[in-house]
Amino acid sequence: MSETVNPIKNKTDYILLTRDLLQRTKDAKTNLRNYFMFRVGMCCVLRISDIVSMRVHDLYDADLNVKPRLTIKEIKTGKKKDMSTAHFKKDAEKYRDEVLKPRLNKTYPDKATKCLSSDETIEIGTGKNKREINKYATDWLFTSNRYPFKHVDEKAFYKAIKASAKDVNLEHIGTHTMRKTGAYLLYRGNFDDVLKDKNVKPNNNISLAMKVLNHSSQASTLRYLGLDKETLDKAINDIDAFDIEI
């Protein structure tokens, strides 16, 4: 039976989890990598497979400036995902300065942005699939600690986020939590506790959530966010026709 994974619905829980991610090991760069992966996944509503497969040039230009938009092709669906980077630009700059630049300077001491500006190509594939790609296009955005030439493993991130969830007593947290949380925030308009404190009604913009998730039906989106039963219960509870006194 698959594990139930839910979105984070309250800002207090989000802060607890992400703060723990930033502090949980003695390696500050690993902590920052895991935290930034969570931010990118949430803000761009991405699957973990798409996050670990991101390249440096997906997010940064040839001068290592943060691109205004992140545009990738989803691995699972093959559909295009185009999202603004505005909500995590400061995080991207911090990651660039503290993790990415030191790594690139070590890899390419003659020119740190060589992987982004070089025209050198190599051939990959065979037969009909044979093609040329940029020699440095395989620089992963999120690298493995053990094997720096490989991207971080999904299982490694899973262990990190599960450990942080355990630290702060949060249940049903997994690698889908980032994507589900991002979609939930776009659906509701904000975290539930923030809406309650501000006495603001949720937007419940199902069309927007469907669009960012690349879903084709409202039912799929509500089910993905764990709201199908919740929405049904609320609709039933709001009907006063059953409240009959005799």
Side-chain angles (χ1 to χ4, degrees):
M1 186 175 181
S2 59
E3 178 185 12
T4 299
V5 175
N6 293 332
I8 297 174
K9 299 181 179 181
N10 292 311
K11 186 176 181 179
T12 50
D13 291 336
Y14 165 79
I15 291 174
L16 285 172
L17 182 69
T18 50
R19 280 181 177 172
D20 193 87
L21 279 173
L22 271 173
Q23 302 169 358
R24 77 166 338 275
T25 75
K26 295 180 180 179
D27 186 346
K29 290 183 178 180
T30 296
N31 295 340
L32 182 56
R33 180 200 66 192
N34 292 339
Y35 166 79
F36 187 46
M37 287 176 66
F38 190 100
R39 289 286 294 161
V40 172
M42 184 182 80
C43 295
C44 292
V45 196
L46 296 175
R47 295 179 180 85
I48 185 62
S49 57
D50 294 316
I51 298 170
V52 300
S53 299
M54 286 175 63
R55 317 283 182 165
V56 173
H57 63 78
D58 288 327
L59 187 57
Y60 301 93
D61 65 19
D63 295 314
L64 284 183
N65 295 311
V66 182
K67 292 181 178 179
R69 305 194 68 79
L70 174 66
T71 305
I72 63 170
K73 181 183 288 187
E74 292 183 338
I75 293 175
K76 182 177 180 179
T77 66
K79 295 179 180 178
K80 179 181 177 181
K81 178 59 91 49
D82 180 37
M83 299 289 286
S84 169
T85 62
H87 289 304
F88 62 90
K89 184 179 180 181
K90 289 184 178 179
D91 297 313
E93 291 171 342
K94 183 178 177 65
Y95 183 78
R96 174 198 64 199
D97 295 341
E98 298 185 15
V99 178
L100 193 57
K101 277 187 175 180
R103 192 182 87 210
L104 294 178
N105 281 326
K106 184 177 180 180
T107 308
Y108 312 111
D110 56 328
K111 191 170 194 267
T113 58
K114 188 173 184 177
C115 61
L116 302 170
S117 58
S118 174
D119 292 327
E120 294 180 65
T121 61
I122 57 173
E123 287 188 347
I124 62 171
T126 57
K128 293 181 179 180
N129 295 321
K130 190 175 182 179
R131 65 191 188 279
E132 288 189 346
I133 65 169
N134 187 288
K135 183 178 180 180
Y136 303 99
T138 54
D139 281 275
W140 305 107
L141 181 59
F142 301 112
T143 55
S144 164
N145 289 339
R146 179 178 288 185
Y147 307 107
F149 53 90
K150 293 184 178 181
H151 64 64
V152 61
D153 185 67
E154 291 182 25
K155 291 181 180 179
F157 182 75
Y158 173 80
K159 290 179 181 179
I161 196 171
K162 291 295 286 186
S164 284
K166 184 177 181 181
D167 287 346
V168 298
N169 297 314
L170 288 181
E171 297 182 341
H172 305 301
I173 300 295
T175 54
H176 266 283
T177 294
M178 300 93 72
R179 186 170 186 254
K180 289 190 175 187
T181 299
Y184 185 82
L185 291 176
L186 291 171
Y187 169 69
R188 298 285 280 180
N190 211 323
F191 288 103
D192 288 351
D193 53 354
V194 174
L195 292 172
K196 184 177 180 180
D197 290 343
K198 292 183 177 181
N199 196 26
V200 175
K201 290 185 177 180
N203 295 334
N204 290 347
N205 191 336
I206 189 66
S207 296
L208 180 59
M210 282 176 60
K211 186 173 183 178
V212 297
L213 288 168
N214 276 326
H215 283 176
S216 56
S217 72
Q218 292 187 8
S220 295
T221 299
L222 289 173
R223 186 166 55 251
Y224 181 75
L225 296 177
L227 293 170
D228 47 350
K229 185 177 184 300
E230 181 180 311
T231 301
L232 178 62
D233 287 346
K234 186 179 186 307
I236 293 173
N237 291 336
D238 285 346
I239 298 173
D240 59 8
F242 299 99
D243 300 331
I244 305 168
E245 294 184 8
I246 58 173

